[in-house]
Amino acid sequence: HGLPATSLAWGLWDDTSTLTENLTAADRARLGAGGLRPLSPADGLALFDAAGTLDEPLLVPAALDLAAIRAQSAQRGVPPLLRTLVPPVRRAAGAGIGVTAPGGSSLARRLAELTPGDRPAEALAAVRREIAAVLGHATVDGIAADRAFSALGLDSLTAVELRNRLNTATGLRLPATLTFDHPTPDALAAHLVTTLAADDARPTGTGNSTGITSATPAATDEPIAIVGMACRLPGGVTTPEELWELVAEGRDAISAFPTDRGWDLERLYDPDPDAAGTSYPRHGGFLHDAADFDAEFF
């Protein structure tokens, strides 16, 4: 209607939201270490009132612990959204911040100094330490080497955090799907050993006394570079190539209601389009394998 509006992207509230109530002690510790504190109801309502006095279309009412953000910025960097509040820590080139082995060196350097036979155990120990850190465990005792990450308690957030920490430690550019591709600590450790050995064998880059090659900084003047693409769409489309074929051939991706979702199709359909809680059409665009999705894993 052309009227002004304000959108509030709320931070965490203390003991008033379902999300907050379901958080474990480890979840709260992880959020606190990241600089996010729960809002008390009084503070939340005060921010709500304050938002109405500002001429901004989008606001983020949240309680931030800037000291905690500064403390973790040396390892993980500062999120882009917060860099006006907490400037990133400037580090000397090759500072090597990340997983630290007993000798005080980064994981990549430590593995390079070991014999090939000793590297798997060292990599596994480092992976277990990092998993314990992102899950908020005091020790690695509960991190079984052959147990799936999903069973250990990693979710999408902690999986990305684990990947980021290992990126920093190794100098590699590990994918966001790291824990899906290598779903146990020992599988992930083996992948790190293999990848670092392959990276070490490449002739490119600047070498050092350990044989580990330095990563070449990526160009920053590239506007957008598409390095990969994936999709799942109605009509059995699972790749970009299949999507182009469907469009080029003019095929119809609409199908009847699927029978593998546990839906009561007879009760779902009603010839009266105005009937509440039912469907008048009997066709739509459906992902043929959506019923195979394992929600428990996520």
Side-chain angles (χ1 to χ4, degrees):
H1 296 289
L3 298 176
T6 299
S7 176
L8 302 181
W10 286 101
L12 213 56
W13 282 60
D14 188 16
D15 298 327
T16 57
S17 68
T18 301
L19 174 62
T20 309
E21 292 171 354
N22 291 336
L23 290 177
T24 65
D27 293 329
R28 291 176 180 271
R30 185 168 65 249
L31 289 170
L36 183 62
R37 294 187 292 105
L39 285 167
S40 69
D43 289 341
L45 292 174
L47 290 176
F48 181 83
D49 291 337
T53 66
L54 301 175
D55 187 20
E56 295 289 344
L58 173 61
L59 296 168
V60 183
L64 300 178
D65 185 343
L66 298 185
I69 296 173
R70 291 190 190 95
Q72 60 91 31
S73 66
Q75 281 194 336
R76 307 178 203 173
V78 179
L81 184 65
L82 303 179
R83 287 177 184 170
T84 56
L85 298 176
V86 180
V89 175
R90 296 188 177 274
R91 301 193 298 266
I97 298 172
V99 179
T100 304
S105 57
S106 70
L107 176 60
R109 180 178 295 274
R110 175 63 178 163
L111 291 179
E113 294 171 348
L114 295 175
T115 63
D118 292 334
R119 290 172 185 172
E122 178 64 27
L124 178 58
V127 168
R128 293 178 68 206
R129 286 196 298 269
E130 290 308 303
I131 296 170
V134 299
L135 292 178
H137 297 335
T139 69
V140 300
D141 295 344
I143 311 299
D146 59 350
R147 196 175 184 192
F149 287 123
S150 57
L152 290 173
L154 258 74
D155 54 21
S156 57
L157 178 64
T158 48
V160 172
E161 183 178 353
L162 175 62
R163 186 280 308 265
N164 291 344
R165 294 172 72 99
L166 293 175
N167 273 349
T168 302
T170 61
L172 297 172
R173 294 181 180 178
L174 300 166
T177 58
L178 184 67
T179 58
F180 296 93
D181 301 333
H182 311 281
T184 62
D186 52 5
L188 177 52
H191 173 69
L192 292 180
V193 171
T194 301
T195 305
L196 284 169
D199 192 61
D200 185 25
R202 294 192 185 107
T204 57
T206 303
N208 53 40
S209 58
T210 67
I212 296 293
T213 56
S214 301
T216 302
T220 57
D221 58 349
E222 181 75 18
I224 294 179
I226 299 177
V227 297
M229 183 175 173
C231 59
R232 292 174 63 207
L233 298 168
V237 171
T238 59
T239 67
E241 291 77 15
E242 291 177 352
L243 173 60
W244 309 144
E245 291 173 3
L246 183 144
V247 174
E249 297 172 5
R251 298 203 313 268
D252 188 357
I254 302 303
S255 63
F257 281 8
T259 59
D260 59 353
R261 313 292 167 86
W263 299 345
D264 188 341
L265 300 181
E266 293 302 321
R267 295 184 59 186
L268 180 61
Y269 171 74
D270 194 298
D272 181 2
D274 297 325
T278 60
S279 172
Y280 173 65
R282 288 186 169 184
H283 297 76
F286 300 98
L287 298 180
H288 72 280
D289 57 353
D292 297 334
F293 174 74
D294 186 1
E296 182 178 358
F297 180 83
F298 294 92

